[in-house]
Amino acid sequence: MRSNNNSGCLTAFVSSFSRIMLLFAWIARPVMMDAAFGSFIIPCLGFMFLPFTTLMYVFLKQGVGAIQGLDWLWLFLAVILDFASIGAAGAANRNRIPAGYPGSYAEKEYVAPVPAQPTAVTPPTPAAPAQPSAVTPPAPAAPDQPTKSKPQ
């Protein structure tokens, strides 16, 4: 059953904001992207996995041509923001993991299903009659009386 969440388009836009901005920067300023990266593969991987970091790297690389000084702080903050968004997406979708699998909300509440009972009725097997023991042990004596032994 779906929850009553009516913020579909806004959530999609906010969650993909960094990718949209990176795409717009790539379309609007292709020379800026070419100056920051030497090939086509690195920006594509950045678009897929670390979009905030890729976008920040493109902006920071344009000034002096190298990352230096406080630029490393901004790049580090972008990496933290990327990992936070990945972790938040994982936590938000955690309720989709079926119960019983590691990481699900219901993992601690999971009770193993009862095994299915056989459908065919099997007659009970009769138990073997108990054999009386040949030697019966003597009855214990009272604590204040000595035990009497039989002569052999």
Side-chain angles (χ1 to χ4, degrees):
M1 182 164 189
R2 291 185 59 165
S3 63
N4 191 8
N5 187 359
N6 297 326
S7 61
C9 290
L10 181 63
T11 303
F13 179 74
V14 170
S15 65
S16 62
F17 175 75
S18 61
R19 288 180 175 86
I20 292 170
M21 291 306 296
L22 185 60
L23 188 64
F24 282 159
W26 204 338
I27 292 170
R29 306 270 191 239
V31 176
M32 184 170 73
M33 292 295 284
D34 291 341
F37 302 107
S39 70
F40 180 74
I41 295 171
I42 301 296
C44 286
L45 290 175
F47 181 82
M48 293 293 293
F49 299 111
L50 299 172
F52 285 114
T53 306
T54 308
L55 186 63
M56 187 61 69
Y57 182 79
V58 168
F59 289 147
L60 293 175
K61 189 79 170 170
Q62 298 309 308
V64 182
I67 306 291
Q68 59 185 347
L70 284 178
D71 293 345
W72 288 106
L73 173 70
W74 292 110
L75 201 60
F76 178 73
L77 289 175
V79 169
I80 296 296
L81 192 59
D82 276 328
F83 286 142
S85 66
I86 291 169
N93 290 321
R94 188 174 181 186
N95 61 348
R96 293 183 180 200
I97 301 173
Y101 287 94
S104 68
Y105 277 131
E107 180 180 1
K108 294 175 182 59
E109 302 166 6
Y110 180 70
V111 177
V114 177
Q117 298 296 326
T119 55
V121 178
T122 57
T125 57
Q131 298 291 331
S133 62
V135 178
T136 58
D144 57 336
Q145 298 175 356
T147 59
K148 296 178 185 175
S149 61
K150 295 180 185 179
Q152 301 213 0

